[in-house]
Amino acid sequence: MTLPQLEALYPEHADWSSYCQQLHQASNLSAMVLIALQLGLLFARLTLEKALNTRAQFPTIWPDCSVCGRHIRSKGFRSRQMKTLVGQIA
């Protein structure tokens, strides 16, 4: 994959563009490995956030409560954050 192709994955994200430029300008292998690792973690985080936001748009069919028999309902979409292996997911 070329640098322009890599940058095109998330062109709107400033960190993504910055890491791509740093990777292109890295002068040694160890620097390239560290930047590639940061890119990989950022890619995982952005991809997870995008997938979670897409899933949140689909309606959920809630069952009746197994204890009282009343209909369970959602209290609506709320922004949440969670610390994961790939970083903070929103």
Side-chain angles (χ1 to χ4, degrees), residues 2 4 21 38 48 51 55:
T2 65
Q21 285 300 321
Q38 291 171 327
L48 280 169
R55 284 186 181 191

Side-chain angles (χ1 to χ4, degrees), residues 16-76:
W16 183 263
S17 298
S18 174
Y19 286 145
C20 288
Q21 285 300 321
Q22 289 176 35
L23 183 63
H24 182 68
Q25 296 169 353
S27 61
N28 57 51
L29 180 59
S30 59
M32 291 176 73
V33 169
L34 289 174
I35 296 164
L37 179 59
Q38 291 171 327
L39 265 172
L41 291 171
L42 182 58
F43 176 79
R45 193 175 80 227
L46 293 173
T47 304
L48 280 169
E49 286 178 349
K50 197 175 274 193
L52 289 170
N53 286 328
T54 300
R55 284 186 181 191
Q57 303 307 312
F58 294 116
T60 302
I61 300 171
W62 295 94
D64 292 335
C65 176
S66 61
V67 176
C68 68
R70 295 173 118 182
H71 185 70
I72 297 174
R73 65 181 176 84
S74 171
K75 293 181 181 173

